Amino acid sequence: MATLDRSGIFRTHFSYCHKKVRQNDIVLSPVLNTALINDPKTASQALILSPAVFVALINSPALFGSVILSPWLFVPLILSPRILSPVILDPFMFVPIILSPVALDPVVLSPGIFNPFVLSPLVMCPFILSPQVMTPLILSPFALTPLILTPLALSPIILSPFVLSPQVLSPQYISGLFLSPYALSPAIESKGALFTVFASPSWLS
């Protein structure tokens, strides 16, 4: 009597799905002068060795949309949350993130300039070896988002409470904390210069 090999069917189905996802990745294909509007499918494709320039993401959430070795220039994210979409070896400039929560997205070896976060909470998004300049957080609370070997300059935190987000070897220059209470977020070997704290109480930090 023949038997149905369910495990074999599962393996075949998984292999097919994995292959399909990999085929949808954007590899060695620059993305230029376009807008993704209400397009989560495209926004969720991994971007590998594919620079993005003058690309707007509007109401296009991303899931598993990794960005690897693909610099971003003038890429606003508006109403476009990102989950499980790490940024690795990916410099980015002029990338405002507005009304776009970000979760489980590590930023590694990815320096940035002028990338403000506005009304965009962050959860579990460590910045590692990714210096940032002119990257303020405004009304963007965050948690479990440490800075590790990530200096900041001209990047104030405004009305953005945070917790469990230590700074390790990450000095801040010409920046400050304004109306942003924080807890369990020590600064370890992160002494900067011209750093102002205003109305930002701390607990266990």
Side-chain angles (χ1 to χ4, degrees), residues 87-92 107-112 127-132:
V87 177
I88 301 171
L89 287 165
D90 180 61
F92 52 110
V107 179
V108 182
L109 289 165
S110 300
F127 282 71
I128 302 169
L129 288 164
S130 300
Q132 302 293 316

Side-chain angles (χ1 to χ4, degrees), residues 114-194:
F114 197 76
N115 306 304
F117 287 78
V118 181
L119 289 164
S120 300
L122 296 92
V123 178
M124 296 185 71
C125 299
F127 282 71
I128 302 169
L129 288 164
S130 300
Q132 302 293 316
V133 177
M134 291 187 289
T135 300
L137 272 72
I138 303 169
L139 290 165
S140 299
F142 57 98
L144 295 166
T145 300
L147 299 177
I148 301 171
L149 292 165
T150 298
L152 302 178
L154 298 166
S155 301
I157 298 173
I158 302 169
L159 288 165
S160 301
F162 58 97
V163 65
L164 291 168
S165 300
Q167 299 175 43
V168 181
L169 295 168
S170 301
Q172 298 192 42
Y173 301 94
I174 319 177
S175 298
L177 281 176
F178 301 95
L179 298 165
S180 299
Y182 60 101
L184 299 167
S185 302
I188 301 169
E189 298 295 332
S190 298
K191 186 177 180 180
L194 298 175

Side-chain angles (χ1 to χ4, degrees), residues 2-15:
T3 60
L4 181 63
D5 184 1
R6 294 182 181 275
S7 62
I9 292 173
F10 175 78
R11 284 195 298 270
T12 301
H13 177 70
F14 177 82
S15 176

